[in-house]
Amino acid sequence: MMALEFDEDIIVIDAGLLFPEEDMPGVDLGIPDITYLVQNKERVRAILITHGHEDHIGALPFVLPELDVPIYASRLAHGLISVKLRERGLIRNARLNVVEPHSPFRLGCFRIEFFRVCHSIPDAMGIAVTTPIGTVIHTGDFKIDHTPADGHSMDLAAIARLAGDDGALLLCSDSTYAEVKGYTESEQVVGEALDRAIGEAPGRVMIATFASLISRVQQVMDAAVRHNRKVTVVGRSMSNNVKMATNMGYLNAPPDTIVTMNEARRLPHERVIIMATGSQGEPTSALVRIANGEHRDVEVVPGDTVVISASPIPGNEKVVAKTIDNLFRQGANVIYSRIATVHVHGHASQEELKTMLSLVNPRFFVPIHGERRHLVAHAALARSMGMPEENTFVLEDGDVLALTSEEAVVVDKVAAGHVFVDGRTFWHMDSSVFSERRRLAREGVVVVATTIGVSACEVLSDPEIVSYGFVELDESLELFEKSSKMALATLEEMGTEALSLDNARARVRDSISKFLHKETGRRPTVLTVIEYI
Amino acid sequence: MMALEFDEDIIVIDAGLLFPEEDMPGVDLGIPDITYLVQNKERVRAILITHGHEDHIGALPFVLPELDVPIYASRLAHGLISVKLRERGLIRNARLNVVEPHSPFRLGCFRIEFFRVCHSIPDAMGIAVTTPIGTVIHTGDFKIDHTPADGHSMDLAAIARLAGDDGALLLCSDSTYAEVKGYTESEQVVGEALDRAIGEAPGRVMIATFASLISRVQQVMDAAVRHNRKVTVVGRSMSNNVKMATNMGYLNAPPDTIVTMNEARRLPHERVIIMATGSQGEPTSALVRIANGEHRDVEVVPGDTVVISASPIPGNEKVVAKTIDNLFRQGANVIYSRIATVHVHGHASQEELKTMLSLVNPRFFVPIHGERRHLVAHAALARSMGMPEENTFVLEDGDVLALTSEEAVVVDKVAAGHVFVDGRTFWHMDSSVFSERRRLAREGVVVVATTIGVSACEVLSDPEIVSYGFVELDESLELFEKSSKMALATLEEMGTEALSLDNARARVRDSISKFLHKETGRRPTVLTVIEYI
C-alpha cells in the first residue's frame, strides 16, 4: 500500500495482505497499519488497485470498514474484490468502480490514467497520476512480454506519452526481480513447454498452478484441444476462478473442453488433463492430497505425468520439494520448473526495468515491491543509467518523501508496517504473544498446580503436574512424581513466605525448571498455578 | 549412513546427522536409526568416513557408544572427528585410523581403497570396496573440478582402474545436483570473483562462508596477500577451524596474514578483511549480529563491503535474505551469490555425473545422497546413457538390496530412518510431542486450575486461569474473569459427576475451549488441572 498526497487530497494505491512468516506462528495474515490514513480519512479520495492478486487487494475487507472510500480497479480485479467483499458481507456499502486503460478521470487535484502491463494475472495495470507539479508513474507488478498468453502486450509508447516529453516527476517501479540479469522469458516459452509435456505424456496429465494464473489455464486448454484431451478442474479456488474467468470472457475454449470429474473418469487416461491447486505445497490442496495418496477422487497410477507449472514462493521451497518427492514415490513422472521451463514468473528482470526507466525518464526514482536488497539492486540499476544518487530513494514502510518539481527529501516517518490478524485479534509484530509461542514450540509447557490452606499455611494436596509438547507418556510418570515432590518440598521450605503468591510462584517455577533441565536437558515453559483457600 | 554386508562381515559408510526441520520444533538434530546394526553388532567391522562434514560424521558421538568399532577417515576428517569425540569425553575408547588415498587395507572379506574426490572440504574421499563378487564404488559427495582451490584435482584414471576392466559391480553416486544440467563451475571462478570484490572494495571487507570451507578461506588469504590486506577471523567455529587447518597444513599464508581483532582495529579500513560465520543466517553467528547492529567488536560503517560466499541451504533462504537486507540497511554494500559468482557448491552436475557413470561403468546403479526427486533424476540420467531400467535402484532408507554378480533385487526392509535428539531424549518422527508443539505454536496454551472439596463436592475457590502465547495482558483480564465463572458454572452444573476426574476435566476443557473460540476466534490448547481435597 502506498499513498500520494497533495494539499487536501490523498489517494491510496493497493491494499494488500502479507502472508505470515514462520516467526509469527498462528497468524492468519498481515495487513497494513493504516493509522495515518484513518487520522486523515476525510482527505482520502479513493483506493486505486493495480491488479487482483492477494498482496494487492487482500486487505480491503479490513481497510474498508475503517476507510469508507471508493475503489477503482480493472474489470478482473473488480470481480475478485467483489467475491471477497461479498463473503464478508461488505459488498452492499462498497463503492466499486471498473476502470479501463487510458480512460482518465479526476480525484481531487489528481488526474488518474490506468495503463495495461503484463503480469501473472490478466488485466494488470500501472497507474499514471498527474499532479499539479508533475506526473507520477506507478508500474504495479509488471514484466514486458511481447508475446503474452492473453495477447495483451504492453503499449510502451503510451507509457512514454503519459510520462510526458520531459519525463515524469517520479517513477515507482516493481523491484521483485531487480537482482536478475537479462529478460524474463515470455509466456510463449511456457506454452510450448506445456504443449510438449502434454503431447508426450503416455497417460493422464495433472497440472498444478496458481488459481489466479488464468493465462496458464488458457495455455493448458489450448494444448488440450490440440492433443484431443479434456480438462477437469479439482480444488475449490481453481474451480471458482475458472468459472469466473470463463463467465467474464477471460478464458476461451470449445464448450466441451472442460468436463466434470465423473465425465473424465469415463475417458481413457491419455485423453485427460486434471488441473489442480497445490503448486505451493499447501497442506489442504488437491495436489498435496494426491501426492500423499489421500485424495478422494484421484489416485496416481503408473503412466501419470504431473506438471508443476509454478515456482515456489520464498519460504515454500521445502514443502513444494516434499510434494514433488511424494509424487515420484507414488509413481508419477513429475515435471517441474527446476528441470523444464513449465513456468515463468510475472516480474521484470534488469533489462526490462531499464526499459521502463528509459521510457518514463523520471527526475526522481523510488523502487517499490520487493525486499530491501531488491530495492537496493533496482536503485543501483538506475544509477548505472546515469540517474544521480540523490534522486533515488530506497524507502522503508512509513517514510514520507516530500517532492517539489525540483527537489525530493524524506521529511517524516508515519505509523506504518504490519498488523497481524489472529482470529478476531490484531497484533503488532513485537507482541509478546509471538515470542511466547516460539518458546512453547521449542520445548512445550509444564503446569504445576497446587492449593495452599492459608490458615495453617499448608499445602493441601500433592502438587499436580500436567504437560503438553514436553514428554511422551511413558517418560512422564516417574519424572512428574519427582517433580511433584520437588514442588511440595520447595513450598514447605518457604514456610509462611509461601503465602506471598508471587514468591511462591517464582520459587516453584525455578526449582521445577532446574530439576527438569537436569533430568532431561530441556527447558520447557513452566507455568505455576497456586490457589489459596 | 549406508551398510555393505557379505556373509559374516558388515562395513558402514558414514554416520551423519540431519539438521532438524521446521515441523520438528525444538529438536537439536536427527541421527540414523541403527537398530539393525546394534542387532548385528558382532559382525560390524568398521565405519568408513568419506569426509568431515556434519552430515557424514555428526552422528558418531551417538553411534559409537552403541557400536564399538574402528573408524577409518582421511586426515582432516580424523581431526574433526577427534575434536567432536573429545568434547563428549568419548575419545579415549575410540579407535580412530587415518587413511591415505590408494593405500588399500582389508576388513573381513572386504578390500578397501579410498580415492580422492573434489568437494567443499579438503580431504574428501570416495571408497572402492572390493567384495568376493565384485567392486562397489561409493563416490561420497563429489564434484569434478580440474582447477580446485587446494590443487588436489581428482585422479579420474585411478577411479577407472579401481572399477576394473569390465566395470564395477555397483556404483553408489552423489545425486544432490542431479537436476542441474551441465558442469558445476570450478572454484577458480570463485577465487577470481573474490579477488575482484576485495580489489575493488573501498574500505573494509567482511566475508562470510561455511566454517569448514577451508579452501575458501585459503582463497581469501591469497587475495588478502595480493591486495595488501590482513585477515581477522571472528566467530568461534571459524576461528577453531582456521587454527586447526593451519596447524595441520591445510591453510598456507605468510605468517602475519592473520591478525587479531585488536591488531585489525589499528589498521586503516582498506587494509582489513574480516572472515566470519553466519552465511546461513544462524541467529547467534557473527554476521547476523553484525547485520543487526548487535556485535560487540564490529559495527558496519559506510564503505564496508560484505561478501556472502555461500548459498542458502534449502530452508535457510528467508533468514539469509533477511541478513542481507539488514546489512544493506546498516549501509554496507553486499555481494552475494545471486548477483555475483562468489560461491560454487560442492556437488557434481549432470555432465560430471555422466562422466562418473562412464568411468565406473557399473552393472548396477544406486543413486545416493539427495532427496527422492534427485535420486529419480540421477537414475533417469543413467538410463539416458543406456543403463537398463531394471539395473537402477531408487531406494528408501532401510531398503535392503541383495546383489549377486548377475542380479540385484530389493529383498527386505529393515528398521531405519531418523531418531531425533532433544536434550537427552531420543524421539521418533511420529512422536506426539511434535504435533503438540506445533499446536502450542499456533495458538498458545490456557490453563484452568481449580480445587474441589470431595466431602461436600464443592469448588473451593474461583478457578484460576493462566495463559502463555494466547493473549496480551490487557486483553486477558476480562476474558479470564469470564472464563473462571464459566468453569465454575460448568463444575457446579455437573453436581457429583464432577467427582470423576476425567469427566470434570473434559467438560471444563470443552466449555472453556468453546467460550474462548466464541470470544476470540482462536482455539488455544486448554489444559485443566483439578485437585481434589
Side-chain angles (χ1 to χ4, degrees):
Chain A
M1 172 181 281
M2 109 177 230
L4 288 176
E5 179 171 345
F6 193 96
D7 280 349
E8 288 308 301
D9 300 308
I10 297 175
I11 54 174
V12 176
I13 300 180
D14 287 339
L17 59 74
L18 181 80
F19 299 104
E21 313 249 325
E22 283 137 35
D23 53 351
M24 303 278 150
V27 154
D28 304 323
L29 49 93
I31 56 172
D33 180 344
I34 56 166
T35 307
Y36 178 79
L37 295 177
V38 171
Q39 284 164 354
N40 295 278
K41 66 166 121 180
E42 72 293 339
R43 295 201 288 136
V44 181
R45 303 289 161 242
I47 301 175
L48 312 179
I49 299 294
T50 57
H51 63 282
H53 277 153
E54 283 298 314
D55 54 335
H56 295 257
I57 66 169
L60 284 174
F62 302 93
V63 168
L64 283 188
E66 308 282 318
L67 220 58
D68 174 27
V69 296
I71 294 169
Y72 293 84
S74 67
R75 215 157 62 85
L76 179 62
H78 176 274
L80 291 164
I81 294 166
S82 302
V83 170
K84 190 174 287 294
L85 295 182
R86 195 166 293 121
E87 281 171 5
R88 304 263 185 164
L90 294 167
I91 191 77
R92 188 198 293 266
N93 297 317
R95 291 184 271 156
L96 298 183
N97 304 280
V98 172
V99 290
E100 297 292 335
H102 303 300
S103 304
F105 58 99
R106 293 201 76 85
L107 289 171
C109 68
F110 300 114
R111 176 188 181 276
I112 315 292
E113 183 169 338
F114 280 59
F115 56 91
R116 199 178 282 287
V117 296
C118 294
H119 186 46
S120 44
I121 188 168
D123 263 8
M125 303 282 172
I127 306 173
V129 181
T130 305
T131 76
I133 58 165
T135 297
V136 177
I137 301 284
H138 184 294
T139 65
D141 285 347
F142 82 102
K143 63 177 170 181
I144 299 178
D145 189 342
H146 300 294
T147 51
D150 65 3
H152 287 299
S153 56
M154 276 164 77
D155 184 346
L156 299 183
I159 296 172
R161 272 197 301 276
L162 284 168
D165 291 345
D166 300 326
L169 175 67
L170 171 69
L171 170 64
C172 302
S173 180
D174 179 9
S175 312
T176 316
Y177 275 74
E179 289 167 320
V180 178
K181 289 195 204 319
Y183 278 91
T184 301
E185 279 195 281
S186 170
E187 287 179 21
Q188 198 173 44
V189 177
V190 177
E192 289 161 6
L194 287 174
D195 194 80
R196 194 162 3 163
I198 291 167
E200 291 174 357
R204 227 167 19 172
V205 179
M206 304 182 198
I207 300 180
T209 191
F210 300 99
S212 62
L213 190 37
I214 303 298
S215 61
R216 196 63 49 82
V217 180
Q218 181 70 55
Q219 290 176 317
V220 171
M221 297 210 302
D222 293 347
V225 172
R226 265 194 302 276
H227 297 289
N228 191 27
R229 289 183 183 245
K230 302 292 179 194
V231 178
T232 185
V233 180
V234 304
R236 195 175 58 94
S237 58
M238 178 79 80
S239 302
N240 288 347
N241 275 13
V242 166
K243 236 174 262 165
M244 188 268 297
T246 305
N247 291 340
M248 291 181 76
Y250 290 98
L251 271 178
N252 296 295
D256 62 344
T257 308
I258 295 188
V259 298
T260 65
M261 178 56 74
N262 272 333
E263 291 165 333
R265 245 195 285 266
R266 288 193 292 271
L267 292 169
H269 276 189
E270 65 274 15
R271 293 208 48 213
V272 174
I273 294 174
I274 298 173
M275 289 223 66
T277 51
S279 66
Q280 295 304 309
E282 304 91 328
T284 60
S285 65
L287 187 72
V288 171
R289 282 181 288 143
I290 293 169
N292 295 340
E294 292 167 355
H295 195 277
R296 204 169 42 120
D297 295 320
V298 185
E299 192 180 345
V300 171
V301 294
D304 281 352
T305 302
V306 179
V307 180
I308 315 242
S309 183
S311 319
I313 291 172
N316 293 345
E317 292 87 352
K318 291 203 105 169
V319 282
V320 173
K322 200 173 275 182
T323 305
I324 296 171
D325 284 343
N326 287 338
L327 288 164
F328 273 124
R329 281 201 181 90
Q330 300 280 341
N333 180 30
V334 191
I335 302 176
Y336 49 106
S337 61
R338 187 116 196 223
I339 60 170
T341 316
V342 290
H343 179 66
V344 292
H345 57 78
H347 298 275
S349 302
Q350 291 184 350
E351 293 308 313
E352 294 151 88
L353 296 175
K354 289 186 204 164
T355 300
M356 182 60 79
L357 278 155
S358 170
L359 281 172
V360 174
N361 185 24
R363 176 178 288 262
F364 302 108
F365 176 50
V366 174
I368 58 170
H369 299 170
E371 297 179 69
R372 184 82 188 187
R373 64 196 178 283
H374 307 131
L375 307 181
V376 169
H378 202 175
L381 217 55
R383 285 202 306 279
S384 78
M385 295 173 68
M387 171 157 298
E389 178 153 12
E390 64 273 20
N391 289 9
T392 302
F393 297 88
V394 175
L395 302 179
E396 298 277 342
D397 286 341
D399 280 349
V400 177
L401 181 69
L403 296 121
T404 67
S405 55
E406 301 299 326
E407 207 186 24
V409 186
V410 175
V411 291
D412 197 3
K413 182 137 195 145
V414 299
H418 308 116
V419 175
F420 292 95
V421 184
D422 184 3
R424 279 191 298 283
T425 311
F426 296 85
W427 278 314
H428 277 91
M429 56 185 299
D430 55 357
S431 169
S432 60
V433 166
F434 297 125
S435 52
E436 290 179 1
R437 286 179 180 178
R438 286 192 295 268
R439 184 160 175 217
L440 287 171
R442 280 197 305 274
E443 303 281 15
V445 65
V446 173
V447 179
V448 186
T450 194
T451 306
I452 294 181
V454 177
S455 54
C457 184
E458 59 173 346
V459 179
L460 293 178
S461 70
D462 287 344
E464 288 271 334
I465 313 284
V466 172
S467 82
Y468 202 76
F470 172 60
V471 282
E472 288 176 338
L473 198 62
D474 57 351
E475 190 196 359
S476 71
L477 291 174
E478 197 194 331
L479 190 64
F480 286 180
E481 213 164 277
K482 285 189 196 163
S483 302
S484 177
K485 289 209 178 93
M486 174 74 59
L488 183 63
T490 303
L491 286 169
E492 285 178 347
E493 217 169 78
M494 288 181 77
T496 54
E497 249 194 289
L499 293 177
S500 147
L501 182 60
D502 286 348
N503 278 352
R505 270 193 195 151
R507 288 276 280 277
V508 170
R509 190 171 52 230
D510 266 22
S511 70
I512 298 299
S513 295
K514 271 183 204 139
F515 172 73
L516 293 175
H517 183 248
K518 186 167 73 66
E519 292 288 312
T520 66
R522 282 171 275 146
R523 298 189 186 280
T525 301
V526 175
L527 301 178
T528 54
V529 192
I530 303 180
E531 293 194 288
Y532 293 85
I533 57 177
Chain B
M1 170 182 279
M2 109 176 230
L4 289 176
E5 178 170 344
F6 193 98
D7 280 351
E8 289 308 301
D9 300 309
I10 296 174
I11 53 172
V12 176
I13 300 181
D14 287 339
L17 59 75
L18 180 80
F19 299 103
E21 314 248 328
E22 282 137 35
D23 54 352
M24 303 278 149
V27 153
D28 304 324
L29 48 93
I31 56 172
D33 179 344
I34 56 167
T35 307
Y36 178 79
L37 295 177
V38 171
Q39 285 164 353
N40 294 279
K41 65 168 122 181
E42 72 293 341
R43 295 201 288 135
V44 181
R45 302 291 162 242
I47 301 174
L48 312 178
I49 299 294
T50 57
H51 63 283
H53 277 153
E54 283 297 313
D55 54 335
H56 295 257
I57 66 169
L60 284 174
F62 303 92
V63 168
L64 283 188
E66 308 282 318
L67 220 59
D68 174 28
V69 296
I71 295 168
Y72 293 83
S74 66
R75 214 159 60 86
L76 179 62
H78 177 273
L80 290 164
I81 294 166
S82 302
V83 170
K84 189 174 288 296
L85 295 181
R86 196 166 293 121
E87 282 170 4
R88 304 260 184 166
L90 295 167
I91 191 78
R92 188 198 292 263
N93 297 318
R95 292 183 271 155
L96 298 182
N97 304 280
V98 173
V99 289
E100 297 292 335
H102 303 299
S103 304
F105 58 100
R106 293 201 76 87
L107 289 171
C109 68
F110 300 114
R111 175 189 182 276
I112 315 292
E113 183 170 338
F114 280 58
F115 56 90
R116 197 177 284 286
V117 296
C118 294
H119 186 46
S120 44
I121 188 169
D123 262 10
M125 302 283 173
I127 306 173
V129 181
T130 306
T131 76
I133 59 164
T135 297
V136 177
I137 300 284
H138 184 294
T139 65
D141 285 346
F142 82 102
K143 62 177 170 180
I144 299 177
D145 189 342
H146 299 293
T147 51
D150 65 2
H152 287 300
S153 55
M154 277 164 77
D155 185 347
L156 299 182
I159 296 171
R161 272 196 303 275
L162 283 168
D165 290 345
D166 301 325
L169 175 68
L170 172 67
L171 170 65
C172 302
S173 180
D174 178 9
S175 313
T176 316
Y177 275 74
E179 289 167 320
V180 179
K181 290 196 203 319
Y183 277 91
T184 301
E185 278 194 281
S186 169
E187 287 178 22
Q188 199 173 43
V189 177
V190 177
E192 289 161 6
L194 287 174
D195 193 80
R196 194 162 352 137
I198 292 167
E200 291 174 358
R204 229 169 16 176
V205 179
M206 305 182 198
I207 300 179
T209 192
F210 300 99
S212 61
L213 189 38
I214 302 298
S215 61
R216 197 63 48 81
V217 179
Q218 180 70 56
Q219 290 177 316
V220 170
M221 296 209 303
D222 292 347
V225 171
R226 264 194 301 278
H227 297 289
N228 192 27
R229 289 183 183 244
K230 303 293 179 194
V231 177
T232 185
V233 180
V234 304
R236 195 174 58 94
S237 58
M238 178 80 78
S239 302
N240 288 349
N241 275 13
V242 166
K243 237 173 262 163
M244 188 268 297
T246 305
N247 291 341
M248 292 181 76
Y250 291 98
L251 270 179
N252 296 296
D256 62 343
T257 308
I258 294 187
V259 298
T260 65
M261 178 55 75
N262 273 333
E263 289 165 336
R265 245 197 284 269
R266 288 194 291 271
L267 292 168
H269 276 187
E270 66 273 16
R271 293 209 46 213
V272 174
I273 294 175
I274 299 174
M275 289 223 65
T277 52
S279 66
Q280 295 304 309
E282 304 92 327
T284 59
S285 65
L287 187 71
V288 171
R289 282 182 288 144
I290 292 169
N292 295 340
E294 292 167 355
H295 196 277
R296 205 169 40 121
D297 294 320
V298 186
E299 192 181 346
V300 171
V301 294
D304 280 353
T305 302
V306 178
V307 180
I308 316 239
S309 184
S311 319
I313 291 171
N316 293 345
E317 293 87 352
K318 292 204 103 168
V319 283
V320 172
K322 200 173 276 183
T323 305
I324 294 171
D325 284 342
N326 287 338
L327 288 164
F328 273 124
R329 282 203 180 88
Q330 300 279 342
N333 179 31
V334 191
I335 301 175
Y336 49 107
S337 61
R338 187 114 198 227
I339 59 170
T341 316
V342 290
H343 179 67
V344 292
H345 58 77
H347 299 275
S349 302
Q350 291 184 349
E351 293 307 314
E352 294 151 87
L353 296 174
K354 288 186 205 164
T355 301
M356 182 61 79
L357 278 155
S358 170
L359 280 171
V360 173
N361 185 24
R363 175 179 288 260
F364 302 108
F365 175 50
V366 173
I368 57 169
H369 299 171
E371 298 179 67
R372 184 82 189 189
R373 63 195 178 284
H374 307 132
L375 307 181
V376 170
H378 202 174
L381 217 56
R383 285 202 306 278
S384 77
M385 294 173 68
M387 171 158 296
E389 177 154 11
E390 64 273 20
N391 289 9
T392 302
F393 297 88
V394 174
L395 302 179
E396 298 278 342
D397 286 341
D399 281 349
V400 178
L401 182 70
L403 296 122
T404 66
S405 56
E406 301 299 324
E407 204 184 29
V409 187
V410 174
V411 291
D412 197 4
K413 181 138 194 144
V414 299
H418 308 117
V419 176
F420 292 94
V421 184
D422 184 3
R424 279 192 297 282
T425 311
F426 296 85
W427 278 315
H428 277 92
M429 56 184 300
D430 55 359
S431 169
S432 61
V433 167
F434 297 125
S435 53
E436 291 179 0
R437 286 180 180 179
R438 286 193 295 268
R439 183 161 175 217
L440 287 170
R442 279 198 304 275
E443 304 280 17
V445 64
V446 173
V447 179
V448 185
T450 193
T451 307
I452 294 181
V454 177
S455 53
C457 182
E458 60 173 346
V459 178
L460 294 178
S461 70
D462 288 344
E464 289 269 333
I465 314 285
V466 173
S467 82
Y468 202 75
F470 172 59
V471 281
E472 289 177 337
L473 200 61
D474 57 351
E475 191 197 358
S476 72
L477 292 175
E478 197 194 331
L479 189 65
F480 286 180
E481 213 165 275
K482 285 188 194 163
S483 302
S484 176
K485 289 208 177 95
M486 173 75 59
L488 184 63
T490 303
L491 286 169
E492 285 177 347
E493 216 170 79
M494 288 181 77
T496 54
E497 248 195 288
L499 293 177
S500 147
L501 181 60
D502 285 348
N503 279 351
R505 270 194 196 151
R507 289 277 278 276
V508 170
R509 190 173 51 231
D510 266 21
S511 70
I512 297 299
S513 294
K514 273 185 201 137
F515 172 72
L516 292 175
H517 182 249
K518 185 166 74 67
E519 292 288 312
T520 65
R522 281 171 275 145
R523 297 188 186 279
T525 301
V526 176
L527 301 177
T528 53
V529 191
I530 302 180
E531 294 194 287
Y532 294 84
I533 58 177

